[in-house]
Amino acid sequence: MEPYAVEVNNLHKRFGHIHALRGLSVQIERGITYGLLGPNGAGKTTLIRAIVGLLRPDAGTVRVLGHPMPDKRLMARIGYMTQNIALYEDLTVRQNLAFFAAMAGVVSRARQQIDEVLALVELSDRADSRVRELSGGLQRRCSLACALVHRPALVVLDEPTVGVDPQLRVQFWEHFHRLNAEGVTLIVSSHVMDEAARCHRLGFLRDGELLAEGSAVDLLERSGCATLEDAFLHFAEQVAAVS
Amino acid sequence: MAAIRIATLARRVILQLLADRRTLALILIVPILVLTIAGALIRLEPQGVRVAVVLDDTGVTLSVGSRGAVNLGERLVAGLSGLNAHLAIERMEPDTAAALLEAGEIDAIVRLPADFSAQAVRTRSLTIPVVYEGSNPAVARLLGPLLTRAAIQAIASLSVIDTESVPEIVLDATYRYGSAEFDQLDYLAPVLIGLFVFMFVFILTCVSFLRERLAGTLERLQATAIRHYEIILGYMLGFAVFALVQALVILLFTIYGLRVHTVGSLATVFVVELLLALLAVNLGVFLSTFARNEFQVVQFVPLVVLLTAFLSGALWPIEAMPVWLKPLAWLMPLTYANFALRDVMIKGFGLVDIGPYLLALAGFAVLFVLIASLVIRRQAVS
């Protein structure tokens, strides 16, 4: 088995005159939570879309679970939670889950897996509510459940905790670590630095480039800073000084 | 303060619209486009009515006065020719006339038998046999009074049958297709059925696919194992259910509610409606990918619906259209549906007879599936 869940090599992507990814390379081991950190516009979502197979890069390669992307067969093994909620509001929580489970080819075991994931995000009692009737936080939980329902090997979450209250945020991170323990790899993007400490490894992203990479402790040590925020600024200045 | 708020709000609306170039273009270009085509169509000269005359009348020799041989049939035809600019009268052999009528090339046959004149003199009445093609009731409305007028003139030119008694004039009308009871609605109903099915299905898909895209669910869907053509086919199948029910309701209401005459089989009409609906689903998906917001998608509706209604021969016959519009008419899928629906409902044609039109509709449906798949593929992986 390949040691890496995701291997991104020298990835370039331009949108008109914006150079969103500038030769970015990153390798993500299996079974860890990898945090992509950076300000808005750093290229986090573009990188994520390339990893889940929704983006054709101008140059470079993306391999997921040992296979080059985009590959439709592989997409059934990826769970993707977009930045916005992206659910069918007219349908119930259970109907949404059943839909996305079926899209990943989970049909016969769907009911059991749906019940499990509902328990995981603590939505069992709202399973038959329409998504429209749920509060923002509950909708986000449902959205996360849709990304997990087919038991993917790689879960990609684009800013999963935006607009989520602190208590739920803690619950989310508990889920993520439980998944890691089962061998699932998670990629989580965020621009909130205090979340970063919860990831096994971090990638600091800015202007489509990887500024630095390592565990939180490692990054703090190398930068000599007390907080990840300062560490980010330190590496950003370092790169600016070199160029 | 209120004035400032109002002005600020107005300014914001203007800025928003100015920023949305596509809507701006649609606001300005759609009306011009639609008006240009509508203008050209509304100015169309009424389409010529082509009438074949089979003149077998051998005339009659009058003993009274010095007139000698008289041929009432010839006089009638001569009189008829000059009555209306849109009426084209041609003398033909019976077989030619019958064949042309069958092919829909001519609108009516007036057949004056050998004893036409003799009969008139003997019975003091004039019976004119007319066979109408029948798919356009307007022909009978135009031709009927003209024939009567021509007949009166023809008779009046004879002193033998003069003012003392106005002879009776009888139009013995028969119809190849339809009947005298067919009114304008009967003629229009087939195309209205087609237009409604097409319009409603198109609007429904166009808007709901846009919603899928704006809500972000399409992006999420595309990140799953589903392939692009599967998305299109799934959409098609889902909407087909509603399209099916709607098509059925429209059809049944037209026939039983509005009491529109139909000669053909309802099942055949339904097949045409179904093909049309499937095609409209894909057109909706395809066009909705060009809209970035609800504003734009709403503007596609009149563009597509009005152009289709105008150009498909639903309201104006294609043969009478200006040369530059004719190719456009044949690019409209609804054109083929209209021909098929008229043939079935007015002429009683079966599935085999309208085969070419069904093939054309199926062709459009397949083409739109392919285009829609390609378009969402390009949008998905950018």
Side-chain angles (χ1 to χ4, degrees), chain A residues 49 54 72 80 88 90 143, chain B residues 211-212 219-220 226 380:
Chain A
R49 295 188 80 237
L54 286 178
K72 272 289 171 193
Y80 175 40
Y88 298 100
D90 307 325
S143 181
Chain B
R211 267 175 56 186
E212 173 110 41
E219 159 126 348
R220 189 165 203 165
I226 197 168

Side-chain angles (χ1 to χ4, degrees), chain B residues 36-56:
Chain B
T36 307
I37 291 174
L41 289 171
I42 291 167
R43 289 230 178 83
L44 280 185
E45 289 295 313
Q47 195 198 0
V49 170
R50 224 178 135 197
V51 178
V53 174
V54 179
L55 189 57
D56 295 333

Side-chain angles (χ1 to χ4, degrees), chain B residues 2 21 43 64 122 129 140 145 190 196 202 221 254 256 267 284 317 323 341 348:
Chain B
R21 299 256 162 112
R43 289 230 178 83
V64 189
R122 199 173 63 245
F196 282 171
F202 168 72
L221 189 57
T254 312
Y256 297 107
V323 182
L341 289 169

Side-chain angles (χ1 to χ4, degrees), chain B residues 161-189:
Chain B
I161 306 170
D162 53 16
T163 47
E164 62 201 46
S165 65
V166 179
E168 193 189 357
I169 293 162
V170 179
L171 290 183
D172 178 14
T174 52
Y175 291 79
R176 174 65 188 83
Y177 303 113
S179 74
E181 277 141 37
F182 269 54
D183 61 12
Q184 202 63 33
L185 184 61
D186 292 309
Y187 181 65
L188 271 178

Side-chain angles (χ1 to χ4, degrees), chain B residues 4-122:
Chain B
I4 292 176
R5 281 196 296 269
I6 292 168
T8 311
L9 183 74
R11 201 178 112 86
R12 197 213 73 206
V13 170
I14 292 166
L15 283 177
Q16 270 183 317
L17 268 179
L18 285 178
D20 186 352
R21 299 256 162 112
R22 206 169 292 186
T23 293
L24 213 58
L26 285 167
I27 289 174
L28 300 176
I29 294 168
V30 171
I32 293 174
L33 188 68
V34 171
L35 281 173
T36 307
I37 291 174
L41 289 171
I42 291 167
R43 289 230 178 83
L44 280 185
E45 289 295 313
Q47 195 198 0
V49 170
R50 224 178 135 197
V51 178
V53 174
V54 179
L55 189 57
D56 295 333
D57 188 10
T58 48
V60 65
T61 309
L62 295 176
S63 49
V64 189
S66 57
R67 295 197 180 263
V70 170
N71 190 317
L72 268 181
E74 267 173 17
R75 290 188 186 211
L76 176 74
V77 174
L80 194 60
S81 304
L83 278 182
N84 190 304
H86 303 305
L87 198 64
I89 307 290
E90 292 165 59
R91 282 182 65 167
M92 287 181 197
E93 290 306 307
D95 294 345
T96 322
L100 286 177
L101 188 82
E102 198 66 36
E105 297 277 313
I106 56 172
D107 299 294
I109 304 175
V110 177
R111 183 165 190 177
L112 305 175
D115 62 346
F116 183 69
S117 301
Q119 188 86 13
V121 170
R122 199 173 63 245

